[in-house]
Amino acid sequence: MYSSGGSNFAVHLADYTVNVYATSNWERTWRLSGRNRRVASIAFSLNGDRIVSGHLDGKVRVWDIATGACLFTFLGHTNQVEGVLCSPQDNIIASRSQDNTIRLWDVETGDCRSIISGCDYCHDMMFSPQGDNIAFGSFDCRVRIWDVASEGCRSILIGHTSRVMSITYSAQGDVLVSRDIRGVVRVWGAETGACRHILQADGSPSLSPNGNQIALRNLGTPREIELWDVETGVCVRRLLSNHNKRAVIVAYSPQGDQVVSCGENEQTVQLWDADTGECRHTMTGHTKGVTRVLYSPSGDHIASVGNDMTVRLWNAGSGVSRKIPNYNTRAVRDLKYSLIRNQIASCSLDTTIRLWDVETGVCSSKLLGHSNAVESISYSPQEDRLVSCSSDKTVRVWDVESGTVCFILRHATEVYDVEYSPSGEQIASASVDGCIRLWNAGTGECLQILIGHSKNFLAVRYSPQGNQIASCSRDGTLKLWNMETGACQHTYTLSGHSLHFKRMVYSPDGNQITFASDDTAVRLWDVRTGSCSHIFIGHQQKVTRVVYSPQGNQIASASLSDKTVRLWDLESGECRHTLVGHEKYILDVAYSPGGNLVISWSHTGEAMLWDVETGECCWSLSYDAQKAWSFFLGFVVWVTSDVDAFITSDNSGSVRMWKVLRDGDRYRVRTHWESAQDWLSVEGACIHDVQGLSDLNKRLLNQRGAQEEPNPR
């Protein structure tokens, strides 16, 4: 599935996971997976910056494509969500479920606007181009058109004699096409509800972009693709395909001048001239049957998905293909540094926690036990224990020396954040159900459950003194809790704010708290009075990260889309420097322990080191400059030592240590070590005409990303 602008491409895999790729270089930007996050359906928002997923557990989630953060979780369905859809205005999300309902969700508030009942075995739904109606078919053989504004059924189209399987609006919204399980296609006037024509098709029909033609495969002619005139109901052209079996998938190009087709369980894709009926290309490359084909929004490329677990990208003009690379699932979710042990801990989507020796880069221990993605980790103040939380609904406390589990603390839902108190006596964990649980770090006993948020959590943080906890949630509030009583001291309603996951931080003295927001402003809140003490304005796009300098006299803020980092003086409120140089979206920023350097990085692996005093870039690392840097940078952690050094992780599971060396007025950055990989990656390598490879060797190399055809130049 392409985003509307064509900048992103999502693949929904048979194992209920989703890969999202940037079409500029076809690098995978992130992967949605996990036992409790198994995806049944996906959809892009209209502007392409978000992706909506429907899950087997009945939840609907909205994700930020640039950061991979979960923005909303919609709760209400009691069974698997089989389909999701964004309205043309991007203000409503529709979800259909096996609980026989369709729900319409407000994107801004997260509230359920409407519940459409009686949608027994609904197989398809579609918004009208104007977004004022949503049409769907069901088991009772009827097509219903629902008025979104009035929340009532506008009309019921009767005529089918078996359950309706697909629904399609024309681009103008004046024609509605439906197909039932027996292959009967009905063409309806969307306004009048009158049936204009009745056709026969095997597989879903495709409407041309101008709404004048329908492409389908007729039940009576297995190898023919027919083009029908919508106005007259006359077949104007027949395309004789080379498919050995029936052609069940057909689609028009965005310009309407081409038609693409593929046969049932066949490995070939055919490209046709819609005006002449001539077959332009027969495209081969898949080793198993093609299950779906679709055009890019520009019409320049065609993507095909096969049962061979590959996606191929075809040039619509030449018919030349390339295989979209597969990536592993070892993306690092969190990094923490241990000063006492001189150790780095990393947690990953592959359910593991790894402990790394800072000096040698050797993985000294691998902690196993979680059954789903490990979302966050935290060292105890004494650094003899490590706490982790996971999508498997558990919090685990580990003995760092032995690698054994001390306690397993259980939640009712996925746990996304966990932290030790400054004294090390307590652990706070936050889960999707909106509750904070406080645990005795010594015994594992649950001391308190803090209830107050109405939606799932983004983050929980202890104040530096440990007498207060701050929590922020998707309900648009930030709450401060008294540690002694468990009472909520302050609730800030963050009007105009949309918080990012783990983007909340106390000042070093604990008197202020700040966070990132979507309204381009940076706000500081006084935790004693509950008032907003400072507002810093300057970014042009939403802010993804705000951090205090170690001395507490400065703040660094990073913006996702305006690609700048700003350094703010807390005393005067002035912007001291605007750091410009990133070419891609900035995800995060961090001060060095001495506060003299700031590092910022983007989701493509682009990193830049800045001198805080001058605002000049000291060093940069980019994907183009260093080809070996082939995965997306995830986390950066500074090492507290006499020498400036930092640790980076990426979504391959690799961990690297870099040393910053001062040479007069200049800085040099060198790789100190890089973690070894226990797996083979030959992504992009061509084994065409390689001699001496057995069939087994070829299969193994193909599994790890090699390709048997040269890349087109």
Side-chain angles (χ1 to χ4, degrees), residues 2 9 11 26 267 269 283-288 290 292-294 301-306 308-315 320-325 702 706-712:
Y2 280 95
F9 183 79
V11 183
W26 288 101
Q267 302 157 20
V269 177
M283 301 176 288
T284 60
H286 284 286
T287 58
K288 291 185 179 180
V290 178
R292 191 176 181 191
V293 291
L294 67 160
H301 294 94
I302 300 165
S304 60
V305 182
D308 56 5
M309 297 300 290
T310 66
V311 177
R312 287 190 172 269
L313 189 71
W314 311 85
N315 186 295
V320 176
S321 80
R322 60 173 289 190
K323 186 169 68 174
I324 298 177
N702 284 331
Q707 53 192 45
E708 298 196 41
E709 302 92 12
N711 275 326

Side-chain angles (χ1 to χ4, degrees), residues 26-47:
W26 288 101
E27 300 285 1
R28 197 186 75 177
T29 55
W30 59 282
R31 174 185 173 93
L32 174 57
S33 64
R35 186 183 66 185
N36 295 318
R37 292 182 180 174
R38 291 186 295 174
V39 182
S41 54
I42 56 173
F44 278 104
S45 62
L46 185 65
N47 62 13

Side-chain angles (χ1 to χ4, degrees), residues 27-84:
E27 300 285 1
R28 197 186 75 177
T29 55
W30 59 282
R31 174 185 173 93
L32 174 57
S33 64
R35 186 183 66 185
N36 295 318
R37 292 182 180 174
R38 291 186 295 174
V39 182
S41 54
I42 56 173
F44 278 104
S45 62
L46 185 65
N47 62 13
D49 64 343
R50 296 179 179 185
I51 194 167
V52 182
S53 58
H55 296 255
L56 297 185
D57 61 5
K59 296 174 183 176
V60 178
R61 293 180 170 92
V62 182
W63 308 85
D64 186 294
I65 289 179
T67 65
C70 181
L71 303 176
F72 295 103
T73 299
F74 300 147
L75 306 176
H77 286 296
T78 59
N79 208 331
Q80 171 179 326
V81 178
E82 293 189 320
V84 288

Side-chain angles (χ1 to χ4, degrees), residues 361-373:
V362 173
C363 180
S364 57
S365 184
K366 183 160 64 173
L367 311 183
L368 304 175
H370 284 293
S371 60
N372 210 327

